[in-house]
Amino acid sequence: MAALASSSSLLHSSSSFNSSSAPSISPVSRISLKLPSSSLSSSLSISPSFLAFSLNSRRVSPNSYSSTVVQASGAVEKKKVLIVNTNSGGHAVIGFYFAKELLGSGHDVTVLTVGEESSDKMKKTPFTRFSEITGAGGRTVWGNPADVGKILEGEVFDAVLDNNGKDLDSVSPVADWAKSSGVKQFLFISSAGIYKPTDEPPHVEGDAVKADAGHVLVEKYISEIFGNWASFRPQYMIGSGNNKDCEEWFFDRIVRGRPVLIPGSGMQLTNISHVRDLSSMLTLAVQNPAAASGHIFNCVSDRAVTLDGMARLCAKAAGSSVEIVHYDPKAVGVDAKKAFPFRNMHFYAEPRAANEILGWSATTNLPEDLKERYEEYVKIGRDKKEMKFELDDKILESLKVPVAA
């Protein structure tokens, strides 16, 4: 992967949780045996010895996680899981993949999607592929998560994942219902975007977060009301069924022979994961709730990629060359957030907690995964779709770079 200017190191370190920037965290136990998330061949009997996190350092020694004895003792317990799924944005695909992986592992799954089944939002992926969930034995329902108690009246779940709310107002009704109805485990999809910028990347669990961020307040709340909870902080993701542009933004320009405009130097590092890695991490947490309990996990792959590197990898996947043009957003008078799909800064995290606590391993392989994504891009005809690049043209005009006809 020559296009990758930098990659994160193998993850052998744990990190502490800063008491001033994160919920109170229970002592960590380390699983010494990795188990495939799709396996139902063994269950886990956990006998942890505890060692509290250091509260003074974001990077501590590999031995800061205490050892755990893991014993096989029959079949993994079948769980009844509720996924409260957003109806828009890049996170919707997480619930879709998670549901399919749980079903493939023999669990019982209900997906509650925000809104109405007949809405225009349901005409987009991943919702148009929900038959893959129902065809595997899962159930899909729609409604207002605040009314979850009425929608699923009388039902009892072992685990609930909130993959919808971004603040306490939207999550607390689900959390309060889950608590009152006897849910054993509560999981929350947070965001790596809550980390404060750091001079010492990558972000690791325990780094300072924005205290007033909605996701942070949710993490604090669920840590206070649930005995068994975990939070997952994803970054950017790719994968079939995603309805938020990531790799597509690059493909749109590459296949049309247009320059790929990248703010800054292009050497900024970020993390782009295949969504299957996110779902496998979540599945491990459901299948091993004792280990996951009380922890925050960076829900990301284990390698970084530069912004220029992403452009080159997308071009290679498309079998094309690419012209990369760098620019200063302020100098050309544009908002980089509107002109480019990623943050114009170093922004990447490492999944240290998942590696150490859950025995999880990333499978994201951008060169290969992007080939698959390009095949689907062409299959759906997006390469032939008429598009306008008005903001790109404005930037190119300011830079006095000829605009493609």
Side-chain angles (χ1 to χ4, degrees):
M1 294 175 64
L4 296 182
S6 174
S7 65
S8 60
S9 60
L10 291 177
L11 309 180
H12 296 304
S13 297
S14 64
S15 64
S16 62
F17 285 79
N18 190 303
S19 60
S20 65
S21 59
S24 174
I25 308 298
S26 67
V28 179
S29 59
R30 179 181 178 182
I31 302 177
S32 58
L33 174 64
K34 296 182 180 180
L35 294 178
S37 61
S38 61
S39 171
L40 284 175
S41 62
S42 63
S43 66
L44 304 177
S45 176
I46 309 296
S47 301
S49 60
F50 296 111
L51 181 64
F53 276 98
S54 161
L55 296 179
N56 299 316
S57 172
R58 68 190 289 264
R59 289 174 173 81
V60 295
S61 70
N63 293 327
S64 62
Y65 290 119
S66 59
S67 62
T68 300
V69 177
V70 182
Q71 299 174 337
S73 57
V76 167
E77 178 187 358
K78 179 179 179 179
K79 300 292 182 67
K80 187 175 181 181
V81 182
L82 170 66
I83 301 170
V84 179
N85 210 39
T86 181
N87 62 2
S88 62
H91 284 190
V93 73
I94 299 175
F96 173 64
Y97 271 74
F98 183 40
K100 290 184 17 171
E101 181 151 356
L102 286 173
L103 289 165
S105 298
H107 301 290
D108 185 302
V109 179
T110 297
V111 179
L112 167 59
T113 301
V114 178
E116 299 179 357
E117 185 177 5
S118 60
S119 72
D120 287 343
K121 289 184 177 181
M122 296 302 109
K123 296 176 182 178
K124 300 179 180 180
T125 57
F127 313 109
T128 55
R129 293 174 56 182
F130 269 18
S131 60
E132 296 175 32
I133 295 174
T134 56
R139 178 172 56 148
T140 54
V141 297
W142 281 260
N144 184 342
D147 298 327
V148 60
K150 296 179 181 178
I151 298 169
L152 300 170
E153 186 174 3
E155 296 198 43
V156 178
F157 293 88
D158 297 299
V160 171
L161 170 71
D162 191 304
N163 182 39
N164 171 59
K166 298 181 179 180
D167 55 43
L168 203 51
D169 287 343
S170 55
V171 177
S172 61
V174 177
D176 292 345
W177 164 81
K179 178 69 175 179
S180 64
S181 64
V183 169
K184 300 173 184 177
Q185 181 186 40
F186 193 89
L187 308 177
F188 173 59
I189 297 295
S190 182
S191 171
I194 64 177
Y195 286 116
K196 291 182 178 180
T198 178
D199 292 328
E200 193 183 3
H203 293 299
V204 296
E205 294 91 348
D207 278 1
V209 296
K210 303 165 188 173
D212 59 347
H215 294 95
V216 173
L217 299 178
V218 171
E219 289 178 347
K220 183 176 186 297
Y221 185 70
I222 64 175
S223 73
E224 292 171 344
I225 70 170
F226 288 100
N228 192 307
W229 67 276
S231 181
F232 298 80
R233 297 173 177 173
Q235 275 192 247
Y236 305 120
M237 67 197 78
I238 64 172
S240 179
N242 195 355
N243 64 22
K244 184 174 182 179
D245 283 358
C246 177
E247 67 279 12
E248 296 91 347
W249 186 92
F250 295 88
F251 291 150
D252 286 343
R253 288 149 180 82
I254 290 166
V255 301
R256 293 168 177 81
R258 294 184 60 93
V260 170
L261 308 182
I262 296 180
S265 69
M267 294 304 293
Q268 304 96 309
L269 290 164
T270 194
N271 188 302
I272 301 170
S273 311
H274 195 289
V275 68
R276 66 172 178 266
D277 277 348
L278 282 64
S279 67
S280 68
M281 188 184 297
L282 289 163
T283 300
L284 281 175
V286 168
Q287 294 183 165
N288 196 355
S293 181
H295 296 300
I296 289 172
F297 300 94
N298 286 337
C299 203
V300 296
S301 70
D302 59 359
R303 300 199 71 166
V305 62
T306 65
L307 301 184
D308 277 5
M310 182 62 177
R312 289 193 288 266
L313 287 172
C314 285
K316 187 175 181 180
S320 302
S321 59
V322 61
E323 177 189 0
I324 298 174
V325 175
H326 299 115
Y327 66 96
D328 179 350
K330 290 184 178 179
V332 300
V334 299
D335 183 351
K337 293 180 180 179
K338 296 180 179 180
F340 190 67
F342 303 140
R343 298 187 183 204
N344 180 25
M345 59 186 292
H346 288 307
F347 175 52
Y348 76 106
E350 283 188 348
R352 297 187 183 183
N355 275 248
E356 294 290 338
I357 298 169
L358 299 178
W360 172 89
S361 296
T363 65
T364 298
N365 182 333
L366 282 180
E368 294 303 316
D369 292 333
L370 288 171
K371 289 179 184 177
E372 175 189 307
R373 298 301 306 123
Y374 182 69
E375 289 176 1
E376 182 169 341
Y377 177 88
V378 173
K379 183 178 180 180
I380 64 174
R382 182 158 167 168
D383 60 323
K384 306 298 183 184
K385 184 179 178 181
E386 184 176 345
M387 293 185 176
K388 294 183 179 180
F389 299 90
E390 295 175 351
L391 194 50
D392 283 29
D393 290 345
K394 177 182 177 181
I395 295 170
L396 291 169
E397 182 179 359
S398 177
L399 297 173
K400 295 182 169 50
V401 174
V403 178

